[in-house]
Amino acid sequence: MIKVLVNGAYGRMGRTVLNAVIDDSELELVGAVDVVGGADAGELTGHKANGIIIEVDLAKALEKHKPDVMVDFTQPQVVFNNVITALEHKVSPVVGTTGLSDEAKEKIRQAAEANNTPAFIAPNFAIGAVLMMLLAQQAAKYMPDVEIIELHHDKKLDAPSGTAELTAKMIAEVRESHKQGHPNEEEKMPHVRGADYDGIRIHSVRLPGYVAHQEVIFGGLGQTLTIRHDSTGRDSFMPGVVLACKKVRNLKGLTIGLDKLLI
């Protein structure tokens, strides 16, 4: 059995992760942490009380329960410290919280190697989203003019999404950078054309009613190609989270992206 602690347990994603861990026969929920404690993790997810009480001190919970894996769905401003704390306790973090900078990821890589404890980060745990990114990368070899539109619920704190950022990076690996649109194009409102990543425009939409969605639009002579993925419920991320929990301890250093686990 793989022992799992869920950090951010009270959140919408955290509760969904709790449920997935409890229901999986190969995983054992041994701890749960959030800024507010006291609830029973089983009751919180509609199960019978299981005696796993949500705690507020991550370091103490890691020391007490000694999990193999910590799943983190918290906030961008605290996720880095959470990950470092887990690695210092020889616990492998599986991170779904987005907003980590490249500098922070490099520090996590160094900490993982220094503590001989593998870490895993995924901008998106939905297997369909991973396939969308891989297909977009292939399409960009033949249709290099592309824009990305990502749409999320209005409670999401970071923009663009980690999925959109990773998609742009993957596309940039296979096409030459170039400015898209008319060379004399003028923005009459600042940023109306979206963010610019290596010539790729990224647009972020934040509205109630959305969960997590992205479309990658390619344009060519007389044609367009749209690759779109929609997560209509948070349970769409759980097969990827469970897979990462089961595989992370066999990795080395820091691994980024669910596609690395699907090979």
Side-chain angles (χ1 to χ4, degrees):
M1 294 285 282
I2 300 169
K3 297 179 180 180
V4 179
L5 180 144
V6 177
N7 193 27
Y10 263 117
R12 288 169 293 183
M13 279 298 299
R15 296 185 192 205
T16 309
V17 174
L18 286 174
N19 196 57
V21 173
I22 291 171
D23 287 344
D24 194 282
S25 61
E26 297 178 42
L27 304 179
E28 178 186 1
L29 181 69
V30 298
V33 176
D34 210 310
V35 292
V36 178
D40 182 279
E43 293 180 335
L44 190 64
T45 57
H47 293 80
K48 293 181 180 179
N50 58 14
I52 305 297
I53 305 302
I54 296 177
E55 303 167 59
V56 297
D57 191 311
L58 177 60
K60 288 183 179 179
L62 293 170
E63 183 66 31
K64 176 182 177 182
H65 302 296
K66 295 180 171 49
D68 302 304
V69 176
M70 175 196 75
V71 179
D72 189 288
F73 279 94
T74 55
Q75 301 287 343
Q77 64 268 26
V78 299
V79 60
F80 175 76
N81 288 336
N82 295 340
V83 171
I84 296 301
T85 298
L87 291 171
E88 290 174 344
H89 284 80
K90 309 293 185 182
V91 176
S92 290
V94 169
V95 182
T97 309
T98 56
L100 285 165
S101 66
D102 290 341
E103 180 183 1
K105 291 174 185 175
E106 180 56 32
K107 290 180 179 179
I108 290 170
R109 186 186 306 277
Q110 294 172 4
E113 293 173 354
N115 289 282
N116 195 29
T117 303
F120 181 80
I121 298 172
N124 197 315
F125 278 96
I127 292 174
V130 174
L131 295 175
M132 175 265 297
M133 288 186 277
L134 292 172
L135 290 170
Q137 187 181 47
Q138 290 300 309
K141 296 177 182 178
Y142 308 99
M143 300 181 73
D145 291 313
V146 55
E147 301 205 6
I148 299 169
I149 303 173
E150 56 96 351
L151 312 93
H152 282 78
H153 55 87
D154 58 342
K155 300 298 188 292
K156 185 171 178 59
L157 296 178
D158 58 318
S161 69
T163 302
E165 186 176 359
L166 181 56
T167 304
K169 289 180 178 179
M170 291 172 65
I171 290 173
E173 290 175 359
V174 299
R175 68 158 220 172
E176 293 184 5
S177 60
H178 64 280
K179 179 178 173 59
Q180 296 179 173
H182 195 282
N184 297 324
E185 178 182 78
E186 177 185 357
E187 290 185 321
K188 293 184 177 180
M189 294 183 182
H191 312 301
V192 71
R193 287 285 288 117
D196 186 326
Y197 183 91
D198 198 45
I200 303 166
R201 293 292 185 172
I202 304 176
H203 311 267
S204 296
V205 177
R206 297 290 178 267
L207 287 171
Y210 283 122
V211 179
H213 317 259
Q214 179 171 295
E215 56 184 37
V216 188
I217 305 173
F218 297 87
L221 186 61
Q223 61 182 321
T224 63
L225 169 67
T226 300
I227 302 173
R228 179 175 174 119
H229 176 262
D230 297 277
S231 283
T232 56
R234 290 173 178 81
D235 52 348
S236 66
F237 306 115
M238 292 307 103
V241 171
V242 168
L243 178 66
C245 287
K246 294 177 180 179
K247 289 195 172 186
V248 63
R249 297 295 287 185
N250 296 322
L251 302 173
K252 298 290 184 182
L254 172 63
T255 301
I256 299 175
L258 192 65
D259 57 297
K260 309 299 191 305
L261 304 185
L262 300 179
I263 298 173

